[in-house]
Amino acid sequence: MTEPVKQRRPYRSAVRDERARETRRRILDAAAARFLELGYARAPIRRIAEDAAVSEDLVFHLFKSKRGLLKEVMDVGIGGDDADVALLERPEPLLVRDEVDQRRQIEVFAAGVGAQLERVRPLDDMLRSAAVVDDELAGLRADLQLRQRREAMTTITRWIAARGPLRQEVDEAAALVWTLTSPEVHHMLTDGWGWAPEQYVAWLRTNLEAALLG
Amino acid sequence: MTEPVKQRRPYRSAVRDERARETRRRILDAAAARFLELGYARAPIRRIAEDAAVSEDLVFHLFKSKRGLLKEVMDVGIGGDDADVALLERPEPLLVRDEVDQRRQIEVFAAGVGAQLERVRPLDDMLRSAAVVDDELAGLRADLQLRQRREAMTTITRWIAARGPLRQEVDEAAALVWTLTSPEVHHMLTDGWGWAPEQYVAWLRTNLEAALLG
């Protein structure tokens, strides 16, 4: 199928796309800040729209609902930016895939997870609280953690298994990778036990090496 | 100090103590059932008192408050009965302490943790939900998990370290024991990932052996 209208004005369309993207980004930043400050349930869309200097109508037009807005806030938080690139096709995971030394794969992976958790944990804490009283948000968190993150951690485990033997079956090893890199365990060790971020990363690396490689 | 009144009627006093204990147990059973069925916030003390065939006044007299009642429900759930014996002085942990073979210590420990989590997890799920909207209950859960359970897991780790070398410092090893045996990780793998209880126990054993002993 041809798209004559889009093809005719490529420059203007690019400018418009960039502006639209910038507006979305401003709304997502404002939403993330207010959700973290006030909690999801108490953050009014009106305030978020004001912060982003747009109308409430535009927020609903772009994101359909407050839940839709939260979902995109989480996606951006997890990816680190609003680029439309699947999580495992970003540069850091690809380093893990392409590295040939298993110990070095785990080292790079552990450092990347530490940085990502520092960024995502506050958002996940907020989502987890909101999910207690909102079944749809519980479903969103389950999808992020039980489907997306589980699949990603299984793929990472296969990448490590592709470079040499593992001490465990891939599923069992992936369960360890998945649990030790969960927001829950990060929360326990940093907020709960008082560990510094680099202590968590060192511990993650030590234990993945020991349990996966021996 | 002598206690003439108590000394004079040992038999009647013992009967009375046993009755009082039985009444407490009935109230605690009723409370646990209602908290699990309705959630902490929605379970009325009136219903719990009715279930246990006692007055509301007696419940408040014995447990001071609804939170006090929940606290004892959790203690009984964790210990497995209402005996006033510290957790680590119960028969199962003592088997771990007295066993001389490190791999056998971990095997016994993993089986005990699996059984305990099957019992306690529903109560912990309920407490965790209630804690989201109740700071005092958040404090109770923090005390159970961050102080009591952390101390217990550190002691267990020392018992294993006493029978031979560990691959990690005791603190780092204890952090692994503490996180892998947490209600959070048990929840992720059983409710989330769909593992059977025995699969969790086998996984726990494999990973503690690998990471602690090599």
Side-chain angles (χ1 to χ4, degrees):
Chain A
M1 224 171 80
T2 56
E3 294 183 346
V5 178
K6 277 195 187 164
Q7 294 302 320
R8 232 177 264 159
R9 304 193 164 186
Y11 176 70
R12 268 201 204 168
S13 169
V15 169
R16 204 175 47 208
D17 285 358
E18 183 46 43
R19 267 191 207 147
R21 193 175 159 188
E22 207 273 320
T23 302
R24 284 180 73 88
R25 197 157 31 198
R26 228 166 50 230
I27 297 169
L28 289 169
D29 286 349
R34 288 295 179 189
F35 288 159
L36 289 174
E37 179 198 354
L38 304 170
Y40 171 76
R42 290 185 185 170
I45 295 278
R46 187 180 44 71
R47 281 284 281 282
I48 292 167
E50 276 172 26
D51 292 348
V54 299
S55 69
E56 274 187 78
D57 281 354
L58 181 63
V59 175
F60 282 109
H61 173 72
L62 290 173
F63 299 97
K64 311 299 179 235
S65 64
K66 195 174 178 184
R67 285 198 194 91
L69 185 55
L70 175 60
K71 188 175 176 321
E72 293 223 26
V73 164
M74 294 306 301
D75 283 346
V76 170
I78 290 165
D81 60 50
D82 63 346
D84 193 15
V85 177
L87 201 57
L88 290 181
E89 285 155 25
R90 286 165 179 264
E92 265 195 340
L94 294 184
L95 285 178
V96 177
R97 187 195 62 187
D98 297 338
E99 172 61 52
V100 296
D101 180 79
Q102 286 181 307
R103 282 166 210 281
R104 176 89 188 119
Q105 283 183 302
I106 288 175
E107 185 186 349
V108 172
F109 171 67
V113 164
Q116 203 213 19
L117 280 167
E118 286 297 308
R119 197 175 63 233
V120 173
R121 260 285 318 291
L123 285 171
D124 185 73
D125 291 349
M126 178 266 296
L127 175 60
R128 215 177 333 159
S129 297
V132 171
V133 289
D134 185 324
D135 286 346
E136 263 190 63
L137 295 183
L140 168 60
R141 185 165 194 274
D143 185 65
L144 289 173
Q145 293 297 323
L146 298 181
R147 191 183 62 81
Q148 292 187 40
R149 218 174 64 73
R150 174 183 169 175
E151 284 173 13
M153 294 306 104
T154 303
T155 300
I156 298 265
T157 306
R158 283 188 207 286
W159 288 345
I160 300 171
R163 300 300 185 181
L166 291 192
R167 292 182 74 168
Q168 309 183 43
E169 297 298 317
V170 167
D171 269 6
E172 270 71 33
L176 189 73
V177 177
W178 180 60
T179 51
L180 295 192
T181 61
S182 64
E184 285 87 343
V185 165
H186 186 259
H187 178 86
M188 290 176 72
L189 290 171
T190 57
D191 294 30
W193 206 303
W195 276 10
E198 56 275 18
Q199 196 170 2
Y200 167 75
V201 169
W203 173 86
L204 177 62
R205 184 183 165 191
T206 301
N207 282 292
L208 290 183
E209 269 201 29
L212 269 53
L213 308 182
Chain B
M1 226 172 79
T2 55
E3 294 184 347
V5 179
K6 278 196 186 165
Q7 295 303 319
R8 232 176 266 158
R9 302 193 164 184
Y11 175 70
R12 270 203 200 164
S13 169
V15 170
R16 205 175 47 210
D17 285 357
E18 183 45 44
R19 270 192 205 145
R21 195 176 157 187
E22 207 272 317
T23 302
R24 284 180 71 89
R25 198 157 30 197
R26 227 168 48 230
I27 297 169
L28 289 169
D29 286 348
R34 288 295 180 187
F35 288 160
L36 289 174
E37 179 198 354
L38 305 170
Y40 172 77
R42 290 187 186 169
I45 294 278
R46 187 181 41 74
R47 282 285 279 284
I48 294 167
E50 277 173 26
D51 292 347
V54 299
S55 69
E56 274 188 78
D57 281 354
L58 181 62
V59 176
F60 282 110
H61 173 73
L62 290 174
F63 300 97
K64 309 301 178 234
S65 64
K66 195 173 177 183
R67 285 198 194 90
L69 184 55
L70 176 59
K71 189 177 177 317
E72 293 222 28
V73 164
M74 294 306 302
D75 284 346
V76 171
I78 290 165
D81 60 50
D82 64 345
D84 194 15
V85 177
L87 200 58
L88 291 181
E89 285 156 25
R90 287 165 180 265
E92 264 195 340
L94 294 184
L95 285 178
V96 178
R97 188 194 62 188
D98 297 338
E99 172 61 51
V100 295
D101 179 80
Q102 285 181 307
R103 282 167 209 280
R104 177 89 187 118
Q105 282 183 303
I106 287 174
E107 185 186 351
V108 172
F109 171 66
V113 163
Q116 203 214 20
L117 280 167
E118 286 297 306
R119 196 174 63 231
V120 172
R121 260 284 320 292
L123 287 171
D124 185 73
D125 291 348
M126 178 268 296
L127 176 58
R128 216 177 330 158
S129 297
V132 172
V133 290
D134 185 323
D135 286 347
E136 262 191 65
L137 295 183
L140 168 60
R141 185 163 195 276
D143 186 65
L144 288 174
Q145 293 296 325
L146 299 180
R147 192 182 61 79
Q148 292 187 41
R149 218 174 63 76
R150 175 183 169 176
E151 284 174 13
M153 294 307 103
T154 303
T155 300
I156 299 266
T157 306
R158 284 188 205 289
W159 287 344
I160 300 170
R163 300 301 185 180
L166 291 191
R167 292 182 75 167
Q168 309 183 43
E169 298 296 317
V170 166
D171 270 7
E172 269 71 34
L176 189 73
V177 177
W178 181 60
T179 51
L180 295 192
T181 61
S182 64
E184 285 88 343
V185 165
H186 186 260
H187 179 85
M188 290 175 72
L189 291 172
T190 56
D191 294 29
W193 206 304
W195 277 10
E198 56 275 18
Q199 195 171 1
Y200 167 75
V201 169
W203 174 85
L204 176 62
R205 183 182 165 191
T206 301
N207 281 291
L208 290 183
E209 268 201 29
L212 269 52
L213 309 181

